[in-house]
């Protein structure tokens, strides 16, 4: 198998290295045992070596620090505990020296004198005007910048009580007032994956995540491997993190934008960002959404000055970030269960600060209410109740005048979000045109919300072709909606879609390739379909596949989508009599199994990596075993074990068709757990935490990193940090599982719940689901394409559950449910949208229902019992099917009634609610 370096063809597409399209016949097991597809790093002989500039070195606190002698920008920031690791890209110092490359220590400034025209200053473009000044004592280095400006800029690196600080002082030395409309401090950390193997990337690279919380804000920099220490960039006084703006690539920025960097931005290099202290003077598009915080500017009267600065602090581990913030005297806000608030499910906000709270303001004012309630010692506790819909901002003012903002998103009740999504997908996105030349009817196709129409054609043909993530997303979301909330009319349409369009068109129905899945049902062929294609579209790109390319079976990532469709209909047919009518449960489970096997047979190259939604293969295997389909189960298990055995040979088995990805980790984790490899599962869990943060912001909380998929599934095509792309909910799945195995680690649950709920914010008030949110200040809105959202809804529907937790400081908490405590009993009413799964953390009991709904539960710690009240019977749910596990060890409790069959307990339901008791018997 040919190997490919990270970064080769890095800007191309989901067909990077398209050798696999030739449909080579390679055995699945052989490909599993081959060397990793990500080859060695670019050898030194392949590129010229440029010496790094000279630097002065210091030890400050827990860091080894180097400052360039010529520019006094940061050249090295290594933790003393791991001196071989560097948070800044020192390994590329040779290639990134010279004007035009930004570093930590540079500054971006937009200003005007009196009411004159705006002027821009970028120190990285003007390093020749750095004038070195004498330093001494705690001042490590000092210089002035921009000596031709009407204001003086003095920069100082300071050892402030064994903490490294970077400060800028701006002095108006003229006779007229100066307004600073934009002030950016570049945050340049080593997120460059280009020319690194996955092992090297995980060992050497970092990702930075902002908490855009004004005076309470900060940037956290975490290693790709999830190991400590983590770096915190903390604001000094009068240095709010008001906005976080990408530093665009030089030569590709809009006209007039000099706040750029010469480092290429691509799939292997996200780029660097500006910590915006002020942003009022930055132009914003008329149709852009509201910024995270109210933009401000800085007025300097003649002779006046303003000092801003940040500090660099190490947190020993990712989980220790919040305790480190407290130790540094920073205000700490913790939202439980998070920062997405359905209107039927109030949340809690806990605030701890050295300064008293003097005011709370909400914007928009009618979006939510905050009510002060009794909290634990040292914490202010607020009950957060959603009233409106959409984004909301809470501004907390402290006695010293500082302001911290916490960012929320208010949604409808999750059950209503699910209903809206199902209705929109099966009506507005329902395509039933029998005249369609590509024979896609009936189907659920991608949608353009801006134009409010179905996408029957797109330059990236898969978006209109029902496959790939960008084309399958819409119908996968509609299908997964039925898993816990089936609606008969929607199920009937989905059955028809599978019968008439998926099987036999998208999926090979018979012959040696039965079960194989095509790359697209739409393609570009102007000779055959003369006059069909929009002449205003550029059809000459690689993305406009012809019929042969569209019909290729070699992309493994297309298979989980189809497998999930078959599996959901199997579950409905098996557990809800009369709901599925076209085929029996055996037919659907059989096709789910055939799809799994076909992926290994017809798409072995990328099948060596974890797949998005790959947990469905584990579910299929478990159901085959429960149903006694031993031959089929044995075949699937052997194929999956070959993959897992291969992954065990790799330090970081998280490759994909992209150089680095957050796609495969959930499936890798699932199979490591299934085949009892806890060490490898733990590595996977920690890697996820390296790119999946928890911060007081609905957009970044639980947001598994993704910054390139707008290119392949979005209407606005660009590299940009995506908020709640499908990775958020998918990566929540293994973290939920890890928490159930270790209920003491609440960090896992908080990150998981952030991703789980973040994936709901994509759904608008009518049920349209967007691919992701554009986080850059020039847009600040949801993408207009439905794109690949459905993969995220797979994760949301699959993981939907309520968690009852007892926190040592905060007390009884509900993640997904409302908790009340009385007379020694704790009651919880689920609001998670599915009401089919409940984890009672203090008891270690994981309760799941394949049929039936949980109306409420009562936990009685003294007698170690759980009383579970189930909804009344319906015509398609006459019985409940209950399973109870103890993932953290110990005994799984049993129900006081019911019949055990197929590994679960069947409980007859009646016209009134049914209450059962679970206990350790």
């Amino acid at each position: 198998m040919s190997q490919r370096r990270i970064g080769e063809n890095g800007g191309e597409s989901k067909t990077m290295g398209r050798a696999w399209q030739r449909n080579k016949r390679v055995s699945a097991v052989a490909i599993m045992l081959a060397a990793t597809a990500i080859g060695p790093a670019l050898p030194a002989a392949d590129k010229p070596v440029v010496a790094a500039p000279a630097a002065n070195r210091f030890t400050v606190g827990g860091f080894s620090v180097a400052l360039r002698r010529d520019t006094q920008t940061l050249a090295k920031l290594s933790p003393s505990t791991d001196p071989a690791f560097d948070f800044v890209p020192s390994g590329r110092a040779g290639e990134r020296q010279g004007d035009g490359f930004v570093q930590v220590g540079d500054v971006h400034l937009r200003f005007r004198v009196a009411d004159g025209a705006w002027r821009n200053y970028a120190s990285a473009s003007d390093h020749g005007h750095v004038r070195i000044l004498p330093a001494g004592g705690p001042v490590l280095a000092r210089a002035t910048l921009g000596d031709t400006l009407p204001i003086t800029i003095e920069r100082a690196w300071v050892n402030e009580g064994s903490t490294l600080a970077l400060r800028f002082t701006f002095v108006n030395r003229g006779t007229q007032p100066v307004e600073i409309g934009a002030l950016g401090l570049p945050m340049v950390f080593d997120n460059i994956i280009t020319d690194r193997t996955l092992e090297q990337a995980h060992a050497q690279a970092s990702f930075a995540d902002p908490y855009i919380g004004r005076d309470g804000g900060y940037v956290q920099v975490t290693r790709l491997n999830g190991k400590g220490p983590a770096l915190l960039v903390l604001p000094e006084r009068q240095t709010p993190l008001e906005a976080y703006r990408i530093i665009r690539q030089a030569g590709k920025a809009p006209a007039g934008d000099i706040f750029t960097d010469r480092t290429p931005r691509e799939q292997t290099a996200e780029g660097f960002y500006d910590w915006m202290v002020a942003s009022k003077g930055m132009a914003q598009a008329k149709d852009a959404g509201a910024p995270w915080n109210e933009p401000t500017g800085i007025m300097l009267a003649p002779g006046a000055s303003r000092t801003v600065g940040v500090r660099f602090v190490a947190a020993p581990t990712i989980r220790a970030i919040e305790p480190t913030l407290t130790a540094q005297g920073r205000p700490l806000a913790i939202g439980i269960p998070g920062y997405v608030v359905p209107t039927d499910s109030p949340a809690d906000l806990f605030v701890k600060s050295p300064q008293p709270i003097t005011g709370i303001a909400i914007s928009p004012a009618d979006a939510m209410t905050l009510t002060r309630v009794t909290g634990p010692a040292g914490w202010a506790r607020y009950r957060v109740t959603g009233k409106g819909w959409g984004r909301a901002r809470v501004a907390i003012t402290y006695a010293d005048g500082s302001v911290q903002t916490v960012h929320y998103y208010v949604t409808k009740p999750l059950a209503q979000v699910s209903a809206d999504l199902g209705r929109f997908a099966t009506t507005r996105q329902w395509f039933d045109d029998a005249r369609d030349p590509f024979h896609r009817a009936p189907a659920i196709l991608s949608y353009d919300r801006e134009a409010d129409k179905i996408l029957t054609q797109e330059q990236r043909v898969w978006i209109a072709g029902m496959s790939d993530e960008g084309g399958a997303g819409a119908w996968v979301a509609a299908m997964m909606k039925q898993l816990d909330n089936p609606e008969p009319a929607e199920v009937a349409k989905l059955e028809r879609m599978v019968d008439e369009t998926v099987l036999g068109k998208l999926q090979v129905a018979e012959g040696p390739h039965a079960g194989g899945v095509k790359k697209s049902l739409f393609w570009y062929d102007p000779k055959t379909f003369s006059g069909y294609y929009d002449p205003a579209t550029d059809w000459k790109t690689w993305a406009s596949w012809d019929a042969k390319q569209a019909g290729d079976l070699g992309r493994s990532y297309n298979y989980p989508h189809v497998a999930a469709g078959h599996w959901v209909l199997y579950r409905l047919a098996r557990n809800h009599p009369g709901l599925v009518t076209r085929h029996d449960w055996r037919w659907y489970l059989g096709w789910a199994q055939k799809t799994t096997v076909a992926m290994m047979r017809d798409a072995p190259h990328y099948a060596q990596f974890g797949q998005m939604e790959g947990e469905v293969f584990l579910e299929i295997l478990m159901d085959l075993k429960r149903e006694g389909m031993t031959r089929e189960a044995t075949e699937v298990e052997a194929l999956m074990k070959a993959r897992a055995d291969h992954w065990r040979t790799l330090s970081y088995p998280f490759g994909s068709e992209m150089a680095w990805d957050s796609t495969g980790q959930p499936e890798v984790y699932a199979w490591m757990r299934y085949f009892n490899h806890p060490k490898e599962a733990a590595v996977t869990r920690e890697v996820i935490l390296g790119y999946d943060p928890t911060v007081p912001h609905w957009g970044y909380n639980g947001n598994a990193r993704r910054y390139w998929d707008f290119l392949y599934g979005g209407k606005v095509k660009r590299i940009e940090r995506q908020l709640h792309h499908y990775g958020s909910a998918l990566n929540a799945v293994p973290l939920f599982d890890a928490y159930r195995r270790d209920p003491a680690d609440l960090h896992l649950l908080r990150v998981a719940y952030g991703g789980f709920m973040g994936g709901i914010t994509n759904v608008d008030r009518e049920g349209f689901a967007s691919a992701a949110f554009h986080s850059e200040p020039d847009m600040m809105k949801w993408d207009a394409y439905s794109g690949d959202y459905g993969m995220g809804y797979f994760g949301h529907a699959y993981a939907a559950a309520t968690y009852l937790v007892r926190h040592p400081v905060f007390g009884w908490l509900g993640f997904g449910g409302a908790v009340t405590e009385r007379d020694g009993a704790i009651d919880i009413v689920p609001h998670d949208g599915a009401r089919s799964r409940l984890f009672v953390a203090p008891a270690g009991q994981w309760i799941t229902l394949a049929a039936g709904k949980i109306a409420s539960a009562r936990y009685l710690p003294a007698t170690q019992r759980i009383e579970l009240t189930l909804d009344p019977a319906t015509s398609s749910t006459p019985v409940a099917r209950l399973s109870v596990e103890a993932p953290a060890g110990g005994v799984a409790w049993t129900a006081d009634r019911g019949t055990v069959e197929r590994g679960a307990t069947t409980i007859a339901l009646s016209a009134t609610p049914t209450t059962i008791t679970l206990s350790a018997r």
Side-chain angles (χ1 to χ4, degrees):
M1 181 178 70
S2 64
Q3 295 190 347
R4 175 174 58 80
R5 299 184 184 98
I6 291 181
E8 286 187 6
N9 301 320
E12 190 171 78
S13 72
K14 293 190 174 184
T15 53
M16 290 171 63
R18 289 188 295 234
W20 59 271
Q21 291 187 20
R22 302 188 190 105
N23 211 14
K24 295 179 180 177
R25 294 290 164 252
V26 183
S27 79
V29 174
I31 203 76
M32 293 307 113
L33 298 178
T36 172
I38 305 301
L42 194 62
D46 285 12
K47 60 191 302 185
V49 176
V50 181
N56 294 320
R57 302 184 182 277
F58 310 90
T59 298
V60 183
F63 290 111
S64 174
V65 181
L67 301 176
R68 285 177 50 167
R69 291 177 184 170
D70 55 349
T71 65
Q72 290 191 352
T73 53
L74 189 61
K76 181 181 178 64
L77 187 65
S78 296
S80 300
T81 55
D82 190 356
F85 173 77
D86 195 349
F87 283 108
V88 300
S90 58
R92 303 179 190 264
E95 64 193 70
R96 293 193 71 253
Q97 63 179 307
D99 286 348
F101 291 102
V102 296
Q103 316 287 350
V104 178
D106 278 314
V107 66
H108 289 146
L109 195 67
R110 174 166 291 174
F111 65 95
R112 60 185 176 187
V113 178
D115 294 324
W118 288 110
R119 295 170 58 186
N120 296 325
Y121 172 73
S123 64
S125 301
D126 189 33
H127 283 148
H129 288 85
V130 175
R131 185 162 58 90
I132 307 301
L133 299 177
V139 179
L140 306 177
R142 195 163 64 98
T144 60
L145 312 176
D147 56 10
T148 62
L149 302 178
I151 56 177
T152 298
I153 307 174
E154 182 175 310
R155 180 186 60 207
W157 292 93
V158 182
N159 182 345
E160 182 76 26
S162 295
T163 298
L164 180 66
L166 167 64
R167 293 173 184 153
F168 293 88
T169 298
F170 303 89
V171 181
N172 181 359
R173 54 188 174 86
T175 59
Q176 293 182 291
V178 173
E179 180 182 5
I180 298 175
L183 171 56
L185 308 180
M187 298 285 104
V188 182
F189 301 109
D190 190 3
N191 61 11
I192 305 172
I193 304 171
T194 311
D195 296 335
R196 284 171 167 167
T197 66
L198 281 175
E199 281 196 31
Q200 291 171 331
H202 281 86
Q204 300 169 4
S206 302
F207 284 141
D209 288 292
Y211 164 35
I212 311 171
R214 287 194 53 79
D215 297 309
Y218 57 87
V219 171
Q220 64 180 54
V221 188
T222 53
R223 303 173 64 173
L224 264 65
N225 57 23
K227 296 178 181 179
L231 171 67
L232 299 180
V233 186
L234 306 178
E236 295 199 318
R237 185 163 178 79
Q238 293 189 315
T239 314
L241 180 46
E242 179 173 289
Y244 199 61
R245 180 182 182 273
I246 194 70
I247 299 172
R248 300 192 184 279
Q249 183 177 337
K252 295 186 178 181
D257 185 355
I258 71 165
F259 303 150
T260 62
D261 180 69
R262 289 169 56 190
T263 309
R265 294 184 65 231
E266 53 195 344
Q267 193 272 331
T268 54
E270 179 181 355
F272 312 122
Y273 290 82
D274 261 331
W275 173 311
M276 299 301 296
V277 179
S279 59
K280 185 178 180 181
M282 300 299 292
Q284 180 144 346
K286 292 182 179 180
D287 63 344
W292 297 124
N293 295 299
E294 192 69 27
T296 65
I298 300 170
M299 289 299 300
L300 292 179
S305 67
R306 170 78 173 265
T307 298
V308 302
V310 293
R311 297 187 177 207
F312 301 86
V313 174
T317 65
I318 290 174
R319 290 170 178 80
I321 285 175
E322 289 174 342
T324 301
L325 291 171
T326 299
Q328 290 291 319
R330 306 302 305 153
L332 181 61
I334 295 178
I336 301 292
Y339 309 94
V340 178
V341 183
T343 52
D344 69 337
S345 190
D348 285 304
L349 178 63
F350 296 89
V351 181
K352 186 174 187 178
S353 171
Q355 293 284 330
I357 295 172
T358 59
I360 298 281
I362 300 169
S363 178
D366 58 353
M368 55 173 53
T369 61
L370 264 68
T371 305
R372 184 76 179 255
V373 296
T374 302
W379 293 82
R381 181 176 185 176
Y382 296 89
R383 181 61 41 83
V384 182
T385 304
K387 299 294 185 181
W389 183 89
R391 292 168 51 194
R393 182 176 65 233
V394 174
I396 305 168
T397 301
Y398 297 103
D400 63 355
S402 63
V403 177
Q404 176 180 16
T405 53
V406 179
H407 301 272
Y408 281 94
Y409 204 101
V410 180
T411 73
K412 295 181 181 182
L414 294 187
Q416 186 60 54
V417 173
S418 173
D420 292 345
L421 182 146
R423 181 175 57 255
F424 193 100
T426 57
T427 56
R428 304 274 286 277
Q429 293 182 253
W430 182 250
F431 180 75
D432 200 11
D433 184 357
R435 300 167 299 173
D436 177 43
F438 299 94
H439 308 293
R440 290 168 290 183
I444 295 170
L445 297 185
S446 298
Y447 199 82
D448 181 345
R449 187 59 157 148
E450 211 166 50
D452 258 338
K453 67 176 184 180
I454 289 173
L455 285 164
T456 55
Q457 58 178 289
E458 227 282 354
Q459 175 199 58
R460 297 157 290 178
V461 297
W462 58 84
I463 289 178
M466 288 189 68
S467 204
D468 199 285
E469 292 66 74
W475 68 262
V476 169
M479 187 68 77
M480 289 306 300
K481 180 266 175 185
Q482 314 304 321
L483 181 65
D484 294 304
N485 295 290
E487 200 283 323
E490 295 172 3
V491 172
K493 284 187 172 181
L494 291 168
E495 281 191 272
R496 186 180 163 211
M497 180 189 75
V498 168
D499 234 21
E500 300 176 30
T501 305
V502 172
L503 194 59
K505 296 178 184 176
L506 181 63
Q507 182 174 35
V508 179
E510 55 189 9
H513 298 290
V517 180
K518 299 175 184 177
K519 285 166 54 184
S520 178
L521 283 185
F522 173 69
W523 59 87
Y524 181 63
D525 183 356
K527 292 182 179 179
T528 303
F529 306 110
S530 177
Y532 183 85
Y533 302 98
D534 181 0
T537 298
D538 178 10
W539 297 101
K540 303 301 182 182
T541 75
W542 66 267
S544 299
W545 296 331
D546 60 21
K548 182 179 179 181
Q549 291 173 305
D552 187 84
L553 306 179
R555 186 175 185 272
S556 62
Y557 299 99
N558 298 327
Y559 288 72
H561 315 329
V562 175
H566 292 311
W567 175 71
V568 169
L569 291 173
Y570 152 73
R571 281 288 182 104
L572 297 178
R574 193 57 161 132
N575 298 309
H576 298 275
L579 191 60
V580 175
T581 60
R582 288 200 168 211
H583 301 284
D584 65 9
W585 63 265
R586 292 180 184 274
W587 190 90
Y588 287 111
L589 184 56
W591 271 106
Q593 192 265 356
K594 291 175 186 175
T595 307
T596 307
V597 173
M599 179 184 76
M600 304 301 296
R601 180 192 66 224
D602 293 324
H605 180 74
Y606 286 128
Q608 69 182 295
F609 304 125
Q611 311 288 295
M612 75 286 291
E613 311 140 77
E615 294 91 341
V616 74
F617 299 129
L618 177 57
E619 292 295 337
I620 290 166
L621 173 59
M622 299 303 292
D623 282 327
L624 290 168
K625 288 186 169 185
R626 293 185 191 103
E627 299 291 3
M629 299 172 69
T630 305
R631 179 186 62 81
E632 294 87 346
T634 300
E635 184 178 22
V636 169
E637 189 167 56
L639 291 170
M640 297 301 112
K641 189 174 187 303
R643 299 170 77 209
D645 287 346
H646 171 60
W647 293 336
R648 290 193 73 203
T649 69
L650 307 175
S651 298
Y652 298 100
F654 311 123
S656 81
E657 59 191 335
M658 294 300 181
W660 175 88
D661 213 333
S662 56
T663 286
Q665 288 84 341
E667 193 197 3
V668 170
Y669 175 91
W671 290 115
M672 291 299 111
R673 283 297 186 193
Y674 178 79
F675 289 114
N676 194 29
H677 303 312
K679 178 182 176 182
E680 290 81 358
V683 168
T684 308
R685 177 197 66 214
E686 295 305 298
V687 163
I688 293 172
L689 294 179
Y691 58 73
D692 204 340
T694 178
V695 291
H697 191 303
W698 68 268
Y700 291 89
N701 189 49
N703 182 50
R705 194 172 217 86
R706 189 61 65 95
Y707 53 87
W708 60 85
D709 263 350
F710 281 139
L711 295 175
Y712 313 118
K715 185 168 185 177
V716 177
K717 296 180 283 186
R718 63 186 190 181
I719 293 210
E720 175 183 17
R721 182 68 185 274
Q722 298 171 267
L723 300 187
H724 298 307
H725 179 265
Y726 67 72
S728 294
L730 287 184
N731 281 274
V733 174
L735 297 184
F736 278 130
D737 180 88
Y739 172 74
R740 294 191 295 267
R741 295 171 186 271
D742 183 9
D745 192 348
L746 191 68
H747 182 83
L748 295 170
L749 181 59
R750 289 175 57 200
V751 176
Y753 214 81
F756 165 75
M757 291 298 290
I760 283 298
T761 60
N762 305 55
V763 183
D764 73 14
R765 277 176 278 199
E766 293 184 23
F768 167 79
S770 165
F773 188 85
H774 287 275
S775 64
E776 273 303 296
D778 67 336
M779 285 199 69
M780 296 292 292
K781 61 183 178 180
W782 296 101
D783 193 81
Y785 276 10
S786 54
D788 44 17
Y789 171 74
M791 289 67 245
Y793 199 76
F794 172 96
H796 181 89
Y798 181 76
T802 293
Y803 290 77
L804 178 61
V805 174
R806 186 169 191 179
H807 189 271
V809 175
F810 300 151
W812 288 103
L813 304 171
F815 285 71
V819 177
T820 56
E821 181 182 3
R822 64 175 184 273
D823 300 329
I826 298 88
D827 292 326
I828 187 163
V829 177
H831 293 291
D832 59 67
R835 296 196 291 118
S836 300
R837 303 168 197 91
L838 171 66
F839 184 61
V840 181
Q845 300 301 302
W846 176 228
I847 302 161
T848 61
L849 292 170
K853 296 281 189 183
I854 301 170
S856 64
R858 171 171 290 183
Y859 173 51
L860 299 106
T863 57
Q864 286 296 280
R865 289 183 296 135
I866 299 172
E867 294 175 356
L868 205 63
T869 300
L870 307 179
D871 279 2
T874 67
S875 58
S876 61
T877 311
V879 300
R881 289 195 42 78
L882 171 73
S883 298
V884 184
E885 302 171 63
V891 177
W893 295 2
T894 57
D896 61 353
R897 70 182 75 181
T899 303
V900 177
E901 54 184 13
R902 290 190 287 120
T905 301
T906 300
I907 301 164
L909 301 175
S910 65
T912 59
T914 299
T915 298
I916 60 174
T917 299
L918 305 176
S919 60
R921 292 189 292 169

